[in-house]
């Protein structure tokens, strides 16, 4: 949690400098006032520096790799609909519970603004949802029953995680997982349109994993969709 605290301290100092800047300029000779403006431009980036710091904290604090390993060993070529969610869901929820407990312990020693806690939690859940997508994309074979298991697993995860916080807000990137799972049921033409529309939301590996595991696609359709994904990935991203 040290990275988050350091980022927050830096932001506080930056805000104080912005507040004092007019007074500092008044004290300096006109020829040297430009250095204050130059420094203001630098400290204005401090708020942006918090996000990668918080993301790093969330990524390191939770054992996402362990969850991915469990998902990799899961079977999705089922032939009956299960009523129980998979074990990895409990592991991931427990990791998030421990994360909240650590935040609470840190807050007893270092006062954490509510905004910081919310941002850290948001990043943790966002990465958890990305872990779901990455884990599902590892499926080599998947039946409709297996896809139903994925839906059940994610629904149980959402239900359990929403109960961890008293202030319930929409879980970030939840829709990305739902869309990825449901894309399995699309026809070839629908899937083509879906890939074109959602290619920026998922990695090339995840899109390939989706197409590869769909059982109702014939070889020709699968190759056409894989070719589409390859063409999309070959296009360099536009500079904003």
């Amino acid at each position: 949690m040290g990275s988050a605290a350091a980022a927050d301290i830096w932001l506080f100092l930056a805000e104080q400098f912005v507040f004092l800047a007019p007074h500092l300029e008044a004290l300096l000779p006109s020829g040297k006032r430009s250095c204050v403006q130059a420094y203001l431009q630098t400290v204005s980036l401090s708020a942006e520096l918090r996000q990668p710091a918080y993301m790093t904290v969330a990524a390191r604090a939770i054992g996402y790799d362990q969850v991915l390993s469990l998902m990799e060993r899961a079977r999705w070529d089922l032939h009956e609909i299960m009523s129980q969610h998979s074990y990895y869901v409990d592991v991931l929820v427990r990791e998030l519970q421990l994360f909240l407990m650590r935040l609470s312990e840190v807050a007893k020693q270092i006062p954490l603004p509510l905004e910081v806690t919310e941002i850290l939690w948001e990043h943790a859940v966002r990465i958890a949802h990305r872990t779901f997508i990455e884990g599902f994309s590892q499926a080599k074979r998947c039946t409709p029953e297996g896809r139903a298991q994925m839906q059940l697993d994610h629904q149980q995860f959402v239900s359990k995680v929403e109960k961890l916080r008293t202030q319930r807000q929409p879980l970030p990137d939840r829709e990305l997982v739902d869309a990825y799972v449901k894309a399995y049921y699309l026809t070839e033409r629908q899937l083509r349109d879906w890939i074109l529309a959602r290619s920026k939301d998922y990695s090339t590996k995840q899109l390939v994993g989706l197409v590869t595991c769909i059982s109702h696609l014939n070889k020709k359709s699968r190759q056409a969709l894989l070719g589409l994904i390859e063409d999309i990935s070959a296009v360099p991203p536009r500079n904003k």
Side-chain angles (χ1 to χ4, degrees), residues 118-135:
E118 292 298 325
I119 294 174
L120 286 170
W121 175 248
E122 178 182 324
H123 282 315
V125 175
R126 191 182 303 280
I127 299 173
H129 274 146
R130 291 292 180 172
T131 301
F132 265 99
I133 297 170
E134 186 64 22

Side-chain angles (χ1 to χ4, degrees), residues 14-78:
E15 290 173 345
Q16 298 308 304
F17 182 84
V18 171
F19 175 75
L20 293 172
H23 305 285
L24 293 173
E25 285 186 317
L27 295 173
L28 291 173
S30 58
K32 294 186 177 181
R33 291 176 183 174
S34 60
C35 65
V36 175
Q37 291 300 320
Y39 194 70
L40 276 174
Q41 292 179 357
T42 301
V43 299
S44 65
L45 299 174
S46 57
E48 298 178 20
L49 292 174
R50 287 197 305 173
Q51 294 300 330
Y54 293 161
M55 179 70 81
T56 300
V57 170
R60 291 182 176 179
I62 297 177
Y64 297 108
D65 289 341
Q66 176 191 4
V67 176
L68 271 178
S69 179
L70 290 172
M71 294 182 75
E72 188 176 10
R73 296 198 294 269
R75 289 193 59 183
W76 306 112
D77 55 342
L78 305 175

Side-chain angles (χ1 to χ4, degrees), residues 163-229:
K163 295 175 183 177
L164 295 180
R165 302 295 306 278
T166 54
Q167 296 178 338
R168 294 192 181 183
Q169 296 179 347
L171 300 182
D173 287 353
R174 172 182 177 178
E175 186 273 336
L176 291 180
V177 182
D178 290 335
Y180 188 83
V181 173
K182 293 176 181 177
Y184 175 92
Y185 302 101
L186 300 177
T187 64
E188 178 191 356
R189 183 170 182 176
Q190 291 172 328
L191 191 55
R192 178 184 177 84
D193 293 339
W194 186 89
I195 290 171
L196 288 170
R198 306 298 298 264
S199 61
K200 293 182 180 179
D201 295 330
Y202 308 97
S203 69
T204 299
K205 175 179 175 294
Q206 290 165 354
L207 293 174
V208 169
L210 170 65
V211 171
T212 302
C213 78
I214 296 179
S215 59
H216 62 262
L217 289 176
N218 58 41
K219 184 177 180 180
K220 182 179 179 181
S221 298
R222 183 173 288 107
Q223 288 301 321
L225 291 170
L226 291 175
L228 173 64
I229 295 171

Side-chain angles (χ1 to χ4, degrees), residues 139-154:
K140 299 296 187 293
R141 299 172 62 187
C142 186
T143 59
E145 292 84 358
R147 216 61 177 183
Q149 181 67 44
M150 291 180 179
Q151 286 183 292
L152 174 63
D153 288 350
H154 186 235

